[in-house]
């Protein structure tokens, strides 16, 4: 919705009687509100239902321990000889870290996210499209509005904390009638996110175990930062804190409090009675 001011400026110079066509890659509540304000009795034409994944995209989940995700990604890229893979991480720092690690393992890679300049993002995307870069690691900035022709593979290195973003991520493959594969590497911390995604798209995603990457059942789930789409959880950190009872007989509790008036001098001398 960052173009709303530009849209209003354009509308101000257009004639009142006109025909409008509004195109949008997504149709959120904000877009619907905008359309209702701009259009008169509009007819809605949808290519597909909201938050639905293309049937051209094969979705697969590989359960894996968190600290073995990079190892599994390398295994998949090398074993299957993938030449063009779009990999999504949850954070900008994570994108940089993973891209650098892939380069160290002799996999050409580049990172693209909001902290990169427009020039750097354009170059990384162009290098990815023309084959100079084998793996493009991105945050969700690349999940909307970027069209990579015949992109065969999308990998969720980390699941998004907003379920709708999963649909936009995997929508980068399986476009224009082509088939695509979307793979998610899911650790025990992300089971809640996976449940939310499957609920949104109204289908269970196929789970496939990779030989040599069996999950350690002794690892317990740990909270992931920024769970904005999971509701506000009560902070129980202070609930178990023991409060020391007040000792009514202690000297500190029986000390009288002194107050001095601004208009009266306080006599601090003691007097024997």
């Amino acid at each position: 919705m960052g173009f709303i001011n530009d849209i209003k400026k354009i509308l101000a110079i257009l004639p009142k009687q006109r025909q409008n066509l509004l195109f949008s890659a997504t149709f959120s509540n904000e877009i619907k509100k905008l359309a209702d304000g701009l259009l008169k009795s509009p007819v809605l034409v949808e290519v597909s239902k909201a938050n639905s994944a293309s049937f051209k995209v094969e979705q697969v989940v590989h359960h894996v321990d968190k600290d073995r995700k990079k190892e599994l990604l390398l295994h998949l890229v090398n074993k299957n000889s993938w030449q063009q893979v779009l990999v999504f991480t949850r954070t900008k720092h994570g994108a940089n870290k993973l891209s650098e690690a892939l380069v160290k393992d002799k996999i050409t890679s580049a990172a693209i996210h909001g902290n990169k300049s427009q020039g750097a993002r354009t170059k990384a995307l162009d290098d990815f499209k023309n084959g100079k870069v084998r793996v493009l690691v991105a945050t969700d900035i690349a999940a909307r509005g970027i069209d990579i022709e015949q992109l065969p593979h999308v990998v969720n290195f980390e699941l998004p904390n907003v379920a709708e973003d999963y649909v936009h991520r995997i929508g980068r493959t399986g476009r224009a009638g082509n088939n695509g594969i979307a793979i998610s590497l899911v650790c025990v911390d992300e089971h809640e996110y996976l449940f939310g995604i499957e609920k949104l798209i109204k289908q269970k995603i196929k789970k496939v175990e990779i030989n040599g990457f069996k999950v350690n059942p002794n690892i317990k789930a740990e909270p992931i930062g920024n769970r904005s789409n999971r509701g506000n959880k009560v902070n129980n950190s202070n609930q178990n804190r023991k409060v020391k009872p007040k000792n009514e007989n202690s000297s500190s509790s029986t000390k009288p409090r002194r107050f001095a008036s601004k208009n009266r001098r306080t006599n601090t001398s003691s007097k024997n009675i």
Side-chain angles (χ1 to χ4, degrees):
M1 298 299 292
F3 299 105
I4 186 62
N5 291 329
D6 299 306
I7 292 174
K8 288 180 178 179
K9 288 178 181 178
I10 294 172
L11 291 175
I13 60 177
L14 292 177
K16 291 185 178 180
Q17 296 296 327
R18 61 182 185 270
Q19 185 181 39
N20 295 323
L21 296 173
L22 175 64
F23 296 92
S24 178
T26 58
F27 205 75
S28 61
N29 291 332
E30 290 82 2
I31 295 292
K32 186 179 186 303
K33 185 178 179 181
L34 174 64
D36 291 341
L38 301 180
L39 309 177
K40 182 179 180 180
S41 301
V43 176
L44 176 63
V45 178
E46 290 181 291
V47 176
S48 60
K49 292 183 179 180
N51 298 322
S52 61
S54 170
F55 70 93
K56 288 283 188 179
V57 179
E58 180 186 354
Q59 302 175 63
V60 179
V61 163
H62 296 317
H63 285 293
V64 62
D65 295 335
K66 183 178 179 179
D67 58 0
R68 299 195 67 192
K69 281 193 176 188
K70 190 199 80 171
E71 183 185 352
L72 178 55
L73 178 61
L74 283 170
H75 171 79
L76 294 172
V77 171
N78 289 324
K79 181 182 178 182
N80 299 299
S81 298
W82 290 348
Q83 299 303 313
Q84 194 177 44
V85 192
L86 178 59
V87 178
F88 284 103
T89 61
R90 197 177 298 114
T91 67
K92 302 166 188 176
H93 173 71
N96 287 333
K97 184 178 179 181
L98 179 59
S99 180
E100 291 168 2
L102 291 172
V103 170
K104 288 181 180 179
D105 284 299
K106 300 182 173 21
I107 300 290
T108 53
S109 176
I112 179 173
H113 52 69
N115 283 356
K116 298 281 186 178
S117 67
Q118 185 59 48
R121 280 184 273 176
T122 300
K123 184 180 184 305
L125 194 57
D126 289 342
D127 288 344
F128 183 59
K129 288 180 177 180
N130 61 34
K132 291 183 180 179
V133 167
R134 195 172 171 186
V135 178
L136 182 65
V137 185
T139 55
D140 288 301
I141 188 174
R144 300 170 186 250
I146 292 181
D147 185 16
I148 302 172
E149 187 177 353
Q150 297 182 356
L151 176 66
H153 303 99
V154 167
V155 174
N156 289 300
F157 188 79
E158 296 166 321
L159 289 181
N161 63 326
V162 176
E164 288 83 354
D165 288 340
Y166 171 85
V167 177
H168 296 299
R169 285 182 179 189
I170 70 171
R172 298 312 96 200
T173 185
R175 299 168 72 84
N178 297 303
N179 295 322
I181 299 176
I183 294 174
S184 298
L185 310 184
V186 180
C187 69
V188 66
D189 302 343
E190 299 169 304
H191 286 181
E192 185 182 354
Y193 289 169
L194 179 60
F195 173 79
I197 289 167
E198 292 180 328
K199 183 179 179 181
L200 178 73
I201 64 176
K202 297 180 174 60
Q203 70 178 89
K204 290 291 184 180
I205 303 173
K206 181 172 62 175
K207 288 35 172 216
V208 177
E209 182 178 313
I210 302 296
N211 290 334
F213 290 90
K214 188 174 182 178
V215 172
N216 184 349
N218 297 320
I219 297 178
K220 304 299 181 183
E222 295 181 358
I224 300 175
N226 190 19
R227 290 183 181 264
S228 59
N229 71 321
R230 298 294 175 245
N232 295 324
K233 293 186 177 182
V234 178
N235 184 356
N236 295 321
S237 60
N238 295 326
Q239 290 188 359
N240 296 325
R241 185 181 295 175
K242 293 183 179 179
V243 179
K244 188 175 181 180
K246 200 171 184 180
N247 186 355
E248 295 181 357
N249 298 323
S250 65
S251 59
S252 61
S253 63
T254 56
K255 272 188 178 181
R257 297 176 66 186
R258 286 182 172 182
F259 298 92
S261 170
K262 289 183 178 179
N263 299 322
R264 186 188 300 174
R265 294 180 63 185
T266 303
N267 185 2
T268 58
S269 62
S270 61
K271 187 175 180 180
N272 292 328
I273 297 178

